Amino acid sequence: MEKRVLKTLEYDKILAMLKERASCCISRELVDTMEPSGDFDTVERELKLTAEAETLFYKTGRSPVDDFPDMRHCLERMHAALFLSTGELLGIASCLKAARIAKDILAKEVGEESYLYNLAGLLITHRSAEEEINRCIINEDEIFDGASPALARIRRAMRLANEKVREKLNSMIRSTAYQKYLQEPIITIRNGRFVIPVKQEYRQQVPGLIHDRSSSGATLFIEPSAVVELGNEYKKLLAEEADEIERILTELTAMLAPYADEIREDLNIMGQIDLVFAKAKLSRELNAVMPRLNRNNYVRIVRGRHPLIPADRVVPIDIWIGRDYRSLIITGPNTGGKTVTLKIVGLFALMVQSGIFVPANEGSEFPVFEHIYADIGDEQSIEQSLSTFSSHMKNIVGILDKADENSLVLLDELGAGTDPIEGAALAMSILEELNERHCICVSTTHYSEIKAFAMTHEGMENASMEFDIDRLCPTYRLYIGIPGKSNAFEISSRLGLPNSIIDKAKGFLKGEDVRFEDIISSAQSQHRIAEEERKMAEEARAELEKLRADAERERRKLDEDRNRLQAKAKEDAKRIVADTKREMEKLIVEIRSIKDIDRSAADRVIQAARDTLRATETAVNEKEAIKKEDNTKPPKTVRAGDTVNIVTLDQKATVLSAPDSKGEVMVQAGVMKLNVKLKDIRLIEEKKAAAPTSGKVGLGAGKQVGLELDVRGMLVDEANIIVDRYLDDAYNAGLSEVNIIHGKGTGALRAGVQAFLKRHPLVKGYRMGSYGEGDAGVTVVTLKK
């Protein structure tokens, strides 16, 4: 892409916005050298990378690349340098940490098939080297004592020597004999030696080495003879410390040297990753979308917004080109938005081909252009003696030399700056040439001849920028399919030009020009009416959708309330049945405790009460099952014999006939036959009888007896009746041993069942279940032969 075109379309401003969102120095450098790609696969990869980064950015809220110092210059000279400084080594450790964190985050958060995962896979981490540097170096000015055993020994000795010197000097400055010789009772350092400030006139009273004097000469900084030897020892240790630190730094540098190229490559990769996330950040802030790519040179922008116009002022536009026509000629008033529309098309194409999302709505599409050419704005040059027309024509000549079917051409005010007739003729010829080359071309003009030319040529289409005559201002809306009207007479009239002058001006127009303008005016009027009706229809549809959503929300709320009340009623019913059951058992115990009572009559009354209670419990459970069925959708059809629930009546019924043409079904509920709508019934799956298992023995044609009987949850009297019937059936079936499952619980049911077995005539004996048979929860019964 030509640098002039990139600047004309304000691509450099987009790069400036992108650079502000880059986190590290290398990604900011990459932004400076970034250019749109003309390769389809490369553009597709870059857009997918941005999409993956945007997804991760929404998830984590940050780029996986932390800022790190630019250490490339150190890495480049690492082989030649004897050793790196502590600051340089710490900088490299920061780079290693940033690479490690970036790789860990991407490996954890993105899929293995993603482009980001593959990019992160190129990072080579050196955690051991990073940790060793951080272990040895505390900060740029300090090496850790434990960086090496020798350094630890030297610093230990330095502390001892320091303490001895200070102890000796402290005794001197606290001594009354020396205090009168001192300017101040303090210990200081000069030239790396410990000294005390002595008054000049008492030089002879304090023997030692003079290391410095004050600017006035009144104070001498003397190292007393008593500590000179200790000072020499400390100085020697300082030299040893410096040598050991140099050795440690040399060792750390040698450790990193083999990885220098890998670390430098890691920095470049992290720059690329951060650049991708900078694109994602920018896309998010612009409320941008990833456009679809196509190979058909089809451009479609849905409610596109120029990224450099403030969001509260920008007017979205819809534009499409490349399917039914390849050339779009836009007309309209000055400052009406024609040039902005041109720039939106060109700038969006550049952004897409740079892997940056565009501020538009879903459904936007772009091809990948090999070349983008633009001639926009007034480029007259005094130095080169070029007029506006000449400068435009020079650009157009260059475009015609190179433009082909893979080019996007943007021409502003084509043919302007010269005689209107000749300018219009040139413009039509240039547009026809570009159209024949199958270029995608968007051009703006004021010439009526070009409007008519576009209407009569295949592959061309007119478009116009709307102008509000009443308010004398543009609306910046683009209408494709309708050429623009100049509105010069209307604007002049509203600005106060006398009508007589305007009428004379109209008289100078040719008849066909007047008719053409009238046709355009009529088309614009009809389009405006259609647009207003469309907006009203959209508003009505939106209101209808809102009402529908509100109604659906209320319906769901009512359903939830109903289900909650039904669930509460069901629980209440269950609780009442359970309470009644408990009260009845208490009464049974009391009745049987009465001595003078007819036992057989009492048993019949008790059994009848139990049957009634069991029927009530069964009805409650059936209601619950039916309610569960209510949550299903209505059946598409039913067959005679199907069991259904009538939702409106909450009644179980049997289908008598298939649905008729009205969608009604005849069903029978009890003795009543009635027609119901298909949507008001729900299928109920009838439980099928369990198939015989290997644990059951056949008895006759229809009766089967199992090897065990489960009476858990029953009352003692109820269980004994069931056990009695079961033992009769088991005996008749020829079984010799059966299991009665009563559970462990409190032991009351087990005791009651075993007491019953003890006096049963068919029982030979019984025992508690052993391990593997159910233990105390099972009684094994042996039947008589």
Side-chain angles (χ1 to χ4, degrees):
M1 306 292 175
E2 296 179 5
K3 298 290 185 184
R4 181 187 60 81
V5 173
L6 299 180
K7 187 169 182 61
T8 298
L9 295 175
E10 300 178 289
Y11 179 71
D12 56 322
K13 295 181 181 178
I14 298 299
L15 294 187
M17 295 171 66
L18 187 62
K19 192 171 183 178
E20 290 175 359
R21 288 150 185 82
S23 300
C24 68
C25 53
I26 296 178
S27 58
R28 287 190 283 269
E29 284 184 12
L30 291 175
V31 172
D32 290 335
T33 60
M34 195 168 80
E35 286 190 357
S37 171
D39 178 69
F40 187 93
D41 293 335
T42 301
V43 173
E44 184 176 46
R45 176 181 177 275
E46 291 297 316
L47 287 173
K48 288 182 177 178
L49 270 170
T50 305
E52 292 170 4
E54 185 182 44
T55 301
L56 184 56
F57 192 79
Y58 274 108
K59 186 176 181 181
T60 64
R62 60 183 289 269
S63 167
V65 179
D66 291 327
D67 194 12
F68 54 86
D70 186 3
M71 306 307 297
R72 288 174 294 180
H73 60 289
C74 295
L75 293 167
E76 288 169 0
R77 66 181 180 83
M78 185 177 287
H79 297 293
L82 183 60
F83 63 86
L84 299 178
S85 68
T86 53
E88 291 171 333
L89 288 169
L90 284 175
I92 292 175
S94 296
C95 295
L96 294 175
K97 181 181 179 181
R100 174 173 56 81
I101 291 174
K103 184 165 186 172
D104 290 346
I105 291 175
L106 293 175
K108 178 183 177 183
E109 300 292 347
V110 301
E112 295 184 5
E113 302 301 321
S114 67
Y115 287 101
L116 273 178
Y117 185 89
N118 294 331
L119 195 56
L122 300 175
L123 292 172
I124 302 174
T125 58
H126 301 282
R127 185 159 191 168
S128 59
E130 171 199 339
E131 291 176 347
E132 180 63 12
I133 293 172
N134 288 324
R135 184 189 72 82
C136 294
I137 304 176
I138 297 174
N139 53 52
E140 291 189 15
D141 302 317
E142 187 177 0
I143 300 288
F144 175 50
D145 289 0
S148 73
L151 185 62
R153 177 185 56 77
I154 292 168
R155 286 189 172 168
R156 199 161 43 245
M158 288 174 66
R159 284 192 292 271
L160 289 172
N162 189 357
E163 290 172 4
K164 288 179 182 180
V165 172
R166 286 187 173 276
E167 183 180 350
K168 185 67 175 174
L169 292 176
N170 278 328
S171 66
M172 292 179 69
I173 63 175
R174 285 196 299 266
S175 169
T176 55
Y178 278 96
Q179 283 183 356
K180 63 181 180 180
Y181 305 141
L182 302 179
Q183 199 72 261
E184 294 180 78
I186 61 170
I187 302 170
T188 185
I189 297 176
R190 289 292 187 274
N191 300 324
R193 312 286 289 201
F194 291 100
V195 296
I196 55 177
V198 180
K199 296 176 182 178
Q200 196 275 337
E201 59 267 26
Y202 296 114
R203 164 68 185 88
Q204 300 301 324
Q205 279 70 30
V206 184
L209 301 176
I210 300 174
H211 288 285
D212 199 4
R213 66 179 65 239
S214 65
S215 56
S216 64
T219 304
L220 302 177
F221 295 95
I222 297 175
E223 181 182 15
S225 300
V227 296
V228 169
E229 189 59 36
L230 291 174
N232 290 339
E233 182 183 348
Y234 185 79
K235 195 79 171 177
K236 178 184 175 185
L237 290 172
L238 280 175
E240 290 180 10
E241 180 194 38
D243 291 342
E244 181 59 19
I245 288 174
E246 184 176 313
R247 188 195 67 78
I248 292 169
L249 296 179
T250 302
E251 193 174 275
L252 292 175
T253 303
M255 175 187 68
L256 289 174
Y259 312 128
D261 293 338
E262 292 178 358
I263 298 171
R264 187 164 57 249
E265 186 59 27
D266 277 357
L267 300 186
N268 293 329
I269 293 170
M270 283 194 292
Q272 295 175 39
I273 294 173
D274 188 58
L275 176 58
V276 172
F277 276 85
K279 294 177 184 178
K281 289 180 196 174
L282 181 60
S283 299
R284 183 181 181 184
E285 292 174 19
L286 293 175
N287 195 23
V289 299
M290 174 181 172
R292 289 196 297 267
L293 290 182
N294 65 72
R295 298 179 184 271
N296 306 319
N297 277 5
Y298 176 58
V299 175
R300 184 186 182 205
I301 299 174
V302 181
R303 296 191 66 75
R305 305 169 295 278
H306 197 292
L308 301 178
I309 299 176
D312 58 340
R313 288 172 44 205
V314 70
V315 177
I317 65 163
D318 294 312
I319 186 169
W320 56 95
I321 183 173
R323 187 161 291 172
D324 300 324
Y325 51 87
R326 295 181 298 277
S327 298
L328 186 67
I329 289 84
I330 303 174
T331 50
N334 290 323
T335 70
K338 300 190 301 299
T339 303
V340 172
T341 301
L342 277 186
K343 288 188 174 182
I344 284 178
V345 176
L347 184 57
F348 276 23
L350 294 174
M351 291 171 69
V352 169
Q353 293 180 212
S354 300
I356 305 172
F357 292 176
V358 293
N361 286 8
E362 294 290 344
S364 298
E365 280 190 59
F366 272 89
V368 175
F369 295 106
E370 291 183 6
H371 305 286
I372 297 176
Y373 302 107
D375 177 50
I376 298 174
D378 186 359
E379 299 186 14
Q380 62 180 335
S381 171
I382 297 174
E383 291 84 358
Q384 298 181 23
S385 300
L386 292 176
S387 64
T388 298
F389 175 77
S390 300
S391 63
H392 280 303
M393 196 49 58
K394 183 180 179 183
N395 290 336
I396 291 171
V397 169
I399 292 171
L400 291 173
D401 286 341
K402 305 170 186 174
D404 57 19
E405 66 220 11
N406 296 316
S407 300
L408 170 64
V409 180
L410 308 170
L411 303 174
D412 190 25
E413 300 293 354
L414 184 59
T418 188
D419 177 76
I421 296 176
E422 293 182 356
L426 274 173
M428 290 186 286
S429 178
I430 291 168
L431 288 172
E432 188 171 43
E433 175 66 21
L434 292 172
N435 191 51
E436 288 175 356
R437 295 189 191 185
H438 297 278
C439 301
I440 298 298
C441 177
V442 183
S443 174
T444 67
T445 186
H446 283 289
Y447 294 143
S448 296
E449 294 88 345
I450 300 178
K451 304 176 196 176
F453 177 76
M455 294 177 70
T456 58
H457 276 71
E458 184 180 356
M460 295 186 184
E461 183 61 272
N462 277 300
S464 61
M465 305 303 300
E466 186 184 43
F467 188 84
D468 190 335
I469 294 296
D470 296 328
R471 294 188 299 147
L472 294 180
C473 65
T475 64
Y476 304 109
R477 295 193 190 94
L478 177 69
Y479 292 131
I480 294 179
I482 299 176
K485 189 173 182 289
S486 66
N487 298 309
F489 294 155
E490 289 84 353
I491 293 172
S492 300
S493 175
R494 288 189 173 273
L495 291 176
L497 190 67
N499 289 333
S500 58
I501 295 177
I502 292 174
D503 291 339
K504 286 181 181 179
K506 289 180 178 179
F508 291 123
L509 289 177
K510 296 178 181 178
E512 58 268 23
D513 293 335
V514 174
R515 286 193 297 274
F516 184 68
E517 290 294 323
D518 289 342
I519 292 171
I520 292 176
S521 180
S522 175
Q524 286 182 335
S525 176
Q526 293 298 324
H527 189 282
R528 191 176 297 108
I529 293 171
E531 185 67 18
E532 290 174 357
E533 290 178 350
R534 183 187 65 80
K535 286 178 65 177
M536 291 173 61
E538 284 185 355
E539 289 172 359
R541 183 178 59 80
E543 183 65 24
L544 181 61
E545 289 293 333
K546 183 177 180 297
L547 291 173
R548 184 180 289 121
D550 291 343
E552 179 64 20
R553 189 163 51 251
E554 287 297 321
R555 186 191 66 77
R556 283 199 300 268
K557 185 175 182 299
L558 289 173
D559 287 345
E560 290 170 0
D561 292 343
R562 184 190 65 200
N563 292 337
R564 186 173 63 256
L565 292 173
Q566 288 175 345
K568 185 177 183 300
K570 178 187 68 179
E571 292 300 323
D572 291 345
K574 283 186 173 182
R575 188 178 66 255
I576 292 169
V577 170
D579 292 344
T580 305
K581 199 171 184 180
R582 281 194 297 272
E583 291 298 325
M584 189 178 73
E585 290 304 321
K586 290 179 182 178
L587 290 173
I588 290 171
V589 172
E590 292 177 3
I591 290 170
R592 288 188 168 168
S593 66
I594 301 172
K595 294 182 179 180
D596 300 329
I597 192 171
D598 186 344
R599 296 288 180 183
S600 61
D603 286 345
R604 284 196 299 275
V605 171
I606 290 170
Q607 189 60 45
R610 283 175 173 164
D611 290 343
T612 302
L613 184 61
R614 192 177 295 111
T616 303
E617 190 173 12
T618 301
V620 170
N621 292 333
E622 285 182 355
K623 289 283 185 183
E624 181 181 356
I626 290 173
K627 294 301 179 187
K628 289 180 180 178
E629 291 292 336
D630 287 348
N631 292 327
T632 61
K633 294 180 179 179
K636 293 183 179 179
T637 186
V638 290
R639 295 176 297 179
D642 286 346
T643 303
V644 297
N645 177 50
I646 306 172
V647 177
T648 53
L649 301 177
D650 195 13
Q651 181 68 41
K652 188 174 179 182
T654 303
V655 176
L656 299 179
S657 64
D660 59 17
S661 58
K662 297 179 181 179
E664 294 185 346
V665 181
M666 179 174 283
V667 299
Q668 180 165 354
V671 296
M672 183 172 57
K673 294 182 180 179
L674 65 158
N675 288 333
V676 294
K677 292 186 178 297
L678 192 62
K679 66 182 180 63
D680 293 333
I681 62 175
R682 302 290 185 272
L683 278 171
I684 299 176
E685 293 186 5
E686 294 288 343
K687 294 183 179 178
K688 298 180 180 179
T693 63
S694 58
K696 295 188 176 181
V697 181
L699 180 65
K703 195 170 184 181
Q704 296 175 336
V705 182
L707 295 174
E708 58 186 29
L709 174 67
D710 191 344
V711 294
R712 287 176 293 183
M714 297 183 185
L715 301 172
V716 173
D717 292 334
E718 182 182 9
N720 287 343
I721 294 172
I722 302 298
V723 169
D724 185 40
R725 293 173 186 167
Y726 173 71
L727 292 177
D728 285 342
D729 292 340
Y731 180 81
N732 292 331
L735 299 180
S736 59
E737 187 176 85
V738 293
N739 295 337
I740 307 297
I741 303 172
H742 41 63
K744 298 178 181 178
T746 62
L749 182 59
R750 179 181 69 237
V753 169
Q754 290 182 352
F756 177 75
L757 293 173
K758 191 173 184 179
R759 61 177 184 270
H760 198 283
L762 297 178
V763 176
K764 182 178 180 181
Y766 63 87
R767 62 178 173 84
M768 200 78 73
S770 60
Y771 179 76
E773 293 178 321
D775 297 329
V778 173
T779 296
V780 181
V781 182
T782 304
L783 300 177
K784 294 179 179 179
K785 295 184 179 179

